[in-house]
Each structure stands twice: as C-alpha cells, then as structure tokens.
Amino acid sequence: MAGRILIIGACGQIGTELTLKLREIHGNDQVIASDIREGAEELMTSGPFEILNATDDAHIREVIKEYEVKVVYLMAAMLSATAEKAPMKAWDLNMDSLFHILNIAKEGIIDKIFWPSSIAVFGPTTPKDDTPQTTIMEPTTVYGISKQTGERWCEYFHRKFGVDVRSIRYPGIISYKTLPGGGTTDYAIEIFHEALKHSKYTSFLAEDAALPMMYMDDAIKATIDIMEAPAEKIKVRSSYNLAAISFTPEVLANEIKKHIADFEISYAPDFRQSIAESWPSSIDDTTAREDWGWEPDFDLEKMTTTMLEGVGNTLKENA
Ligand code: AKB
C-alpha cells in the first residue's frame, strides 16, 4: 500500500472497530489512530496513536507529514442529541475538521478521504419510507444541517478540484465493543445492556419510532468497500444512502423477548423523539448496491443474537 492511513476520531464507536479492521488488513504500523482522548486498550496497544484535535489544522498536517499519510478517515463528529445541546460547538467541530481534510487533499498532500454522513441529512419533508438517494432534504437538527452542508462541500471539492472523497449516510450503528456517544439511535444499544442486566428497559423513543439501523460489521464492510472500489465506480460524491435493517423499539423488544422471556420495555420519549420523527423510517440504497456492490449481511435476528452474546460476554468479563 502506498502511504499510511490516518483515522481521526479513532476512539469513537465506529472509529475503534474501523481502526482494528484496517490494521488487520494493512498491518498495524500502517494505520495511525488519533483522537482527542485515549481509547480502548486494544486500539492503544496494537499500533501508533496520536492525541489529535480534529479542528487543529496545523497538528493534523504535522501528523500527516510525520507518518507519510495518504488516506484519511475523518470519523470525529458531534452526533445528533449532543449537537442540539451545543449547536455552535457541533458546527465548528463537524465543519472545520472537514474543511481541513478537504483542503489538505486539494493541495495534493493526501490521495483519498472517507467522511461519514448520516440519515440525519433528511428532514420532515423527505419521503419517510424507502427514502430515495436523491430527494427533498430539509434537515431540522444541528447535526443534520452540518452533515448536509458537508455533503455539498464534498461534492464541490470533487467536481472543482478532483478530490477523491467518498461518503456513506450511516443509519444508526449497533455494536457492543465501544459505546456510542450522543446519538438518537443509541437506544438500540442501551436496550441490550439493560435487558441483560435488569430484564427491563425504558426507551427514550416511542414504541412506533421506526428508524434505519445497521450492525457494526456491515458498517465497517461498507466503509472499507467504498474506499477500495475503483474511483470510476463512485459516481455519487456527496454521500450514498445505505440500508440494512429498519425497526421500531417495540419490534426490537419483541425480538429480545425471544431470548429473554421476562424482558419488559416501557416508553418515556424525550427530546430525541422529535429528532427521530424528522428522520426516515427506511432507506432505499439501490444506488450503492448498483455502483459499488453494497449488500448487508445482518438482519434483525442475526444482529440480536450477536448483540446478546457480545454484550453478555462483556458484562461477564467486567463482573
Ligand atoms: C445519531 O443518532 O445521531 C447517529 C446517526 C444516525 O447519525 N447514530
């Protein structure tokens, strides 16, 4: 591989598993993890790590130079629920970090960028079911506005300056290795921890709040596949719709009950409910399937058994 890979935001929920997978593929010393804070032990000990603020342009450039980085995965972002509480901070983090990386690529210092977008780019006026790749986008959250703006800039830098930037609109990502931070879809992870610990869970979303979701392994596969696809196959340079599973809290609870018979769910929707209501229920990802061969492996059943086993083992190890 020509040049090393830098992950910015490597200690987050997706960053951690993405870094470990890329190290497995390319070799530990080829993948530089970086974040504003230290992360999981396996991540810290398996390869190079740098403390790096995603908004610090000069330091990003130093790290890229020092390690001869050619590919950047920019995973640092403030998610939907947290961003509502700190709008300007979220805007600065989500936008400044992207501009730094786009400009570094424009100057020819790096060759390729991965930047995650989200289903949050859609809003209440978007068709809710099977949301198309190209449609009305009027996001009403700070996070959604930053992601939609980011998509426009990615496409602009590609069209104007030939920057090779690739992106996916992640749905809610479900995993057990690293906890998520500040998302509206986080209930779908908390529910597994509470089901195994206490056989009950109070959902902060209503029983019928259907949202697009995906198991972590599928998200990592999609991220690596889109980055490895030949450039001419990546026809969308804003961001690709990506789908796997769609369910409501009630449907997920019923699936968990198949394994934990006395599991009980109750509902106390909070401010995150109105965010969920503004997002699609399900996504049409035909374009990603056709352009670069996307296909998910995990359905609701497989995701649920994998999560119960993974969270169960983690709870035993920590007991
Ligand atoms: C969130 O809930 O904010 C994220 C997302 C859908 O991008 N998980």
Side-chain angles (χ1 to χ4, degrees):
M1 193 189 52
R4 295 198 178 88
I5 297 171
L6 171 65
I7 323 286
I8 300 177
C11 298
Q13 186 203 3
I14 305 176
T16 301
E17 297 203 36
L18 179 64
T19 304
L20 294 174
K21 188 71 191 173
L22 287 169
R23 282 183 175 161
E24 194 185 304
I25 297 171
H26 298 286
N28 287 348
D29 61 333
Q30 296 301 304
V31 181
I32 322 308
S34 74
D35 207 303
I36 198 150
R37 56 182 168 87
E38 294 194 350
E41 199 190 328
E42 197 185 351
L43 178 100
M44 301 301 299
T45 54
S46 60
F49 178 83
E50 293 285 335
I51 291 285
L52 182 62
N53 178 341
T55 63
D56 186 344
D57 186 36
H59 195 192
I60 294 171
R61 285 172 186 269
E62 257 172 53
V63 171
I64 286 176
K65 195 166 171 205
E66 184 189 337
Y67 289 97
E68 295 173 349
V69 167
K70 285 290 170 199
V71 178
V72 173
Y73 290 73
L74 174 55
M75 309 308 287
M78 202 183 285
L79 298 186
S80 57
T82 317
E84 289 306 301
K85 294 183 173 153
M88 289 305 117
K89 215 170 151 192
W91 179 259
D92 289 347
L93 169 62
N94 295 0
M95 299 316 300
D96 287 356
S97 58
L98 177 60
F99 278 125
H100 296 330
I101 299 305
L102 286 173
N103 278 314
I104 291 169
K106 178 185 158 194
E107 289 165 33
I109 297 168
I110 55 171
D111 296 336
K112 216 193 268 187
I113 303 169
F114 178 81
W115 176 78
S117 186
S118 161
I119 53 160
V121 293
F122 301 115
T125 51
T126 302
K128 226 175 161 44
D129 297 314
D130 285 329
T131 302
Q133 172 68 41
T134 307
T135 185
I136 300 166
M137 295 163 94
E138 295 182 319
T140 48
T141 62
V142 173
Y143 174 63
I145 295 168
S146 75
K147 287 296 178 186
Q148 193 205 18
T149 310
E151 285 192 10
R152 297 288 88 226
W153 280 109
C154 286
E155 194 189 271
Y156 183 86
F157 269 72
H158 175 72
R159 195 164 28 86
K160 264 301 246 227
F161 311 118
V163 167
D164 189 354
V165 54
R166 303 169 183 212
S167 177
I168 284 167
R169 291 173 182 149
Y170 285 132
I173 306 298
I174 303 172
S175 68
Y176 62 88
K177 288 190 186 153
T178 308
L179 286 173
T184 301
T185 56
D186 295 2
Y187 92 86
I189 297 174
E190 288 176 11
I191 194 171
F192 287 100
H193 289 262
E194 295 307 306
L196 284 160
K197 280 195 270 187
H198 308 298
S199 289
K200 59 177 191 228
Y201 177 63
T202 303
S203 168
F204 59 74
L205 295 187
E207 60 186 312
D208 59 350
L211 285 172
M213 301 277 185
M214 177 175 288
Y215 184 62
M216 178 64 86
D217 288 13
D218 275 337
I220 300 297
K221 182 176 78 157
T223 306
I224 293 174
D225 283 358
I226 194 176
M227 286 297 272
E228 284 179 355
E232 65 276 11
K233 287 204 183 275
I234 310 303
K235 296 184 189 120
V236 175
R237 293 298 183 149
S238 51
S239 191
Y240 277 95
N241 274 9
L242 203 68
I245 331 169
S246 280
F247 54 77
T248 63
E250 187 184 22
V251 167
L252 179 57
N254 286 337
E255 192 61 34
I256 292 173
K257 269 187 210 161
K258 291 183 189 166
H259 303 265
I260 304 171
D262 64 343
F263 175 63
E264 276 173 26
I265 186 160
S266 52
Y267 302 94
D270 66 14
F271 74 101
R272 289 167 281 193
Q273 174 63 19
S274 63
I275 300 179
E277 278 169 19
S278 78
W279 289 353
S281 301
S282 60
I283 296 283
D284 178 350
D285 62 359
T286 311
T287 312
R289 287 173 187 258
E290 285 176 359
D291 283 5
W292 46 275
W294 157 247
E295 210 184 320
D297 291 328
F298 284 76
D299 58 14
L300 178 63
E301 219 169 276
K302 189 169 168 192
M303 179 277 285
T304 304
T305 47
T306 310
M307 281 297 287
L308 287 171
E309 201 188 319
V311 175
N313 289 340
T314 312
L315 292 175
K316 268 184 226 143
E317 279 160 28
N318 297 336

